Amino acid sequence: MGMKLHAPESLGNATLLGVFDSGTPEWHRAREMSIGGSDISTICGLNPFQSAYHLFCVKSGKIPNTVEENWPIRFGKAFEEPILKLWQEEHPEYEVFRTGTYQDNLMPFRHANPDALARNSETGEWIVIEVKTGRQTWETVPDGYVAQTQHYLDILDMNRAVIVAVAGMTWYDIWIDRDDFLIDTQRQRAMDFMACLTNDVKPEWDGSESTYEAVRWQHPEIDDTEVEIDSLHYLANAQEKFDLADTELRKIKSQVLDAMGRAKSAYMEIDGKRVKVASRQAKKDGLPYLVVHKKRGK
């Protein structure tokens, strides 16, 4: 695409740290002890793949950053510029620019590195652009992406952003207006998280797989010792409830699979709309199994 670069030394409420290619050592160093757009979604509990506790452990050096550049990440990077080019063709009144990584002057532990910026040639307004890709179509824009754009709008002192996405082979062009209530909430969550890092205080526990894996990473060895824990009855009670719920879930799955027969998916109607609840999938030549589609926001 050959996008132009717009990375002045000062932009909004922020100062330029540099123009780094994604994934380079310089890019990682600029993010190590700073809160960026993807971090704020995690801190606010809006990232389905990482918990605040896991992020705390990574940034405090308790566990390594094990994020690998898998196919979804590589796909997203490869198609970022073509998607931006398509968006600019749809919006000829805008000129799209690459930009750099900016440090917040008011809260220096925050940074912004949006995928692109765009300037309206008619009004002179600057906007933030975020590009997303995904396998599944969206019913609504994921809340974590909204938090990310609000984070950038705050630091760069802009009023509008657009999330441009190709998800499930569907094109999305979603405009996000600045929301000062959300911004104030996210600022407070960022300050609370940085206080945890500074004072080495663990964030609140949650029930995510991400938190469980972060704890496992910290204690890989097994010593021939014992430790007394007063609250172990909570674990026993939780395990009993889980076993009962797991049995009930398998029973209902069996009933649904039987009712579906050879069908690929099952739906129910809610407020006049079809909502896919479950689908039958199979790996290679294996027997089909049931996948339950979680409710949005859960």
Side-chain angles (χ1 to χ4, degrees):
M1 180 177 176
M3 283 190 301
K4 296 179 182 178
L5 175 68
H6 180 74
E9 289 299 317
S10 179
L11 185 60
N13 299 316
T15 300
L16 181 68
L17 290 176
V19 179
F20 313 119
D21 290 331
S22 178
T24 61
E26 295 81 9
W27 182 81
H28 282 292
R29 279 195 294 271
R31 300 162 60 93
E32 280 177 349
M33 286 299 288
S34 182
I35 295 174
S38 59
D39 296 330
I40 197 65
S41 67
T42 297
I43 292 167
C44 291
L46 302 174
N47 185 345
F49 307 107
Q50 186 182 41
S51 67
Y53 179 86
H54 189 281
L55 181 65
F56 164 81
C57 291
V58 170
K59 287 192 176 290
S60 60
K62 293 177 174 22
I63 64 173
N65 188 351
T66 56
V67 176
E68 299 179 356
E69 193 168 90
N70 54 25
W71 270 109
I73 293 175
R74 292 174 65 186
F75 182 91
K77 286 182 179 179
F79 283 88
E80 182 176 302
E81 286 205 8
I83 290 171
L84 285 169
K85 181 179 179 181
L86 287 171
W87 184 84
Q88 187 166 23
E89 290 175 357
E90 293 294 311
H91 298 273
E93 71 276 19
Y94 281 95
E95 185 173 11
V96 179
F97 297 84
R98 292 176 54 245
T99 191
T101 299
Y102 283 86
Q103 182 181 46
D104 187 355
N105 294 332
L106 304 176
M107 301 170 70
F109 55 83
R110 300 193 307 167
H111 74 268
N113 59 329
D115 292 329
L117 301 175
R119 178 181 177 276
N120 189 310
S121 58
E122 299 171 2
T123 66
E125 178 192 28
W126 283 92
I127 66 170
V128 165
I129 304 181
E130 274 300 296
V131 178
K132 304 298 180 184
T133 56
R135 294 190 182 97
Q136 303 295 328
T137 55
W138 298 348
E139 294 178 14
T140 59
V141 59
D143 291 336
Y145 297 160
V146 175
Q148 184 176 6
T149 58
Q150 294 293 340
H151 181 82
Y152 295 155
L153 291 175
D154 183 23
I155 294 174
L156 302 178
D157 195 24
M158 295 181 185
N159 293 317
R160 287 208 305 167
V162 61
I163 297 174
V164 186
V166 177
M169 295 304 293
T170 301
W171 175 266
Y172 295 88
D173 187 340
I174 303 169
W175 290 82
I176 306 292
D177 291 324
R178 182 187 180 98
D179 187 324
D180 287 324
F181 177 79
L182 282 178
I183 284 172
D184 288 343
T185 301
Q186 291 178 192
R187 284 181 180 177
Q188 186 60 55
R189 296 294 292 270
M191 288 189 289
D192 293 344
F193 184 81
M194 284 306 297
C196 288
L197 278 179
T198 302
N199 299 308
D200 196 27
V201 175
K202 299 170 183 175
E204 291 185 9
W205 293 103
D206 59 53
S208 69
E209 189 70 21
S210 176
T211 292
Y212 181 67
E213 291 302 316
V215 176
R216 292 183 63 204
W217 263 99
Q218 292 176 73
H219 308 288
E221 301 86 7
I222 300 177
D223 298 331
D224 190 16
T225 57
E226 291 182 324
V227 59
E228 182 179 7
I229 301 175
D230 292 334
S231 59
L232 273 182
H233 64 282
Y234 292 119
L235 175 64
N237 291 340
Q239 183 66 57
E240 182 179 4
K241 291 179 181 178
F242 174 84
D243 292 341
L244 290 172
D246 193 44
T247 300
E248 180 68 13
L249 177 61
R250 278 198 304 274
K251 181 180 80 172
I252 297 173
K253 278 186 171 182
S254 299
Q255 293 171 336
V256 171
L257 273 172
D258 182 61
M260 289 176 69
R262 296 169 61 91
K264 181 178 180 180
S265 62
Y267 71 90
M268 60 187 298
E269 287 201 5
I270 301 177
D271 297 329
K273 292 178 58 178
R274 285 192 177 190
V275 178
K276 186 187 292 186
V277 177
S279 59
R280 296 170 69 244
Q281 297 181 15
K283 294 180 180 179
K284 295 184 178 179
D285 296 326
L287 293 172
Y289 56 92
L290 191 71
V291 175
V292 181
H293 300 283
K294 296 181 181 179
K295 294 180 181 179
R296 290 288 179 178
K298 297 297 184 183

